[in-house]
Amino acid sequence: MKAYQIKDVKNFMGRLLGTDAFDSFLLAEASITTYNTFVIDGHIEKDFFTGDINDDSILPPYPFSEWKDMRSICFDLIKGKRTPVGFKLILHLKPEIIQQILTAGNASVSLSDIKAFVLNIKYDGSMLTCITATAFYTFLPDKTPDKLWDDFLTHFLSEKELSFENV
C-alpha cells in the first residue's frame, strides 16, 4: 500500500473526469458530497441486462461499471462554481491489466489469486490523495503483487503528467 498526495488537484481532476486517462479502471464505488451526498454502487446489476427484452450476450464483461461509462456522471455531480465538500472514488484496475503487470514482473502469483488492484482517490475539500491497495482471495505471504501495483501506479501517474509526492 502506498499513498500519493496529488500536487495539482485541478490538473488531476481534468485528467480523471475529462479524458480517457483512467479508462483502464472500473468504478467499484463513489461518494460525492456537494449540496447532497451522492453514493454510487458500481456493481453491475445483471438483472437489468437479462429477461424478455434483453439478450444475455450483452452482459457487461466486468462485475463493476467501467470508469469510461461513469466518468460523465461523476463529472456532472462535481462540476459547478463551488468546490465539492469532498469525494471518494474506489477504482479497480481491469483484470487484463493486472495480468499484464503480473506477467511483466515475473510474479509467482496468478490472476486467480488477486481479487483487485485498488486505487482509492479521496478529496477532503483541499487535499487530494491516492492510496493503493491489493485485495486477495486468500492470504498470500508473497508481497510481490503489492510492489508491482505500487510501481505501476507510480509510473502511471508520472506518464499521465500528474505530479505527486509520496506520503
Side-chain angles (χ1 to χ4, degrees):
M1 184 167 71
K2 196 170 185 180
Y4 306 82
Q5 184 175 339
I6 302 302
K7 291 181 178 182
D8 185 346
V9 174
K10 186 175 180 177
N11 179 48
F12 184 93
M13 293 305 295
R15 299 280 171 100
L16 177 68
L17 298 171
T19 73
D20 64 357
F22 286 81
D23 285 0
S24 56
F25 289 91
L26 308 171
L27 179 66
E29 184 179 323
S31 176
I32 300 167
T33 303
T34 55
Y35 58 91
N36 289 114
T37 297
F38 301 91
V39 178
I40 299 171
D41 178 348
H43 285 90
I44 294 292
E45 285 291 335
K46 291 186 179 184
D47 290 344
F48 179 78
F49 295 96
T50 59
D52 296 6
I53 61 170
N54 294 306
D55 180 0
D56 287 343
S57 66
I58 63 165
L59 279 173
Y62 304 107
F64 298 105
S65 294
E66 293 186 62
W67 175 247
K68 69 178 183 177
D69 298 329
M70 302 303 294
R71 183 177 354 117
S72 64
I73 295 167
C74 292
F75 177 74
D76 285 344
L77 294 172
I78 291 173
K79 74 179 180 185
K81 294 179 182 178
R82 297 176 187 244
T83 303
V85 174
F87 64 81
K88 181 177 180 183
L89 303 175
I90 302 173
L91 303 177
H92 289 193
L93 194 63
K94 289 182 178 179
E96 59 269 24
I97 310 296
I98 296 173
Q99 182 61 60
Q100 292 171 8
I101 293 169
L102 295 175
T103 301
N106 295 317
S108 61
V109 299
S110 70
L111 182 60
S112 63
D113 297 320
I114 297 175
K115 188 172 185 178
F117 280 175
V118 181
L119 176 61
N120 293 294
I121 302 172
K122 184 178 179 186
Y123 178 70
D124 66 4
S126 63
M127 183 172 43
L128 194 145
T129 308
C130 295
I131 302 171
T132 62
T134 306
F136 298 99
Y137 286 107
T138 186
F139 173 76
L140 294 175
D142 186 354
K143 299 302 177 199
T144 303
D146 297 313
K147 178 159 179 20
L148 291 172
W149 172 221
D150 291 343
D151 291 347
F152 174 86
L153 192 66
T154 299
H155 177 74
F156 175 87
L157 293 172
S158 296
E159 182 181 76
K160 303 293 182 193
E161 299 178 350
L162 299 168
S163 58
F164 63 90
E165 59 185 41
N166 294 318
V167 184

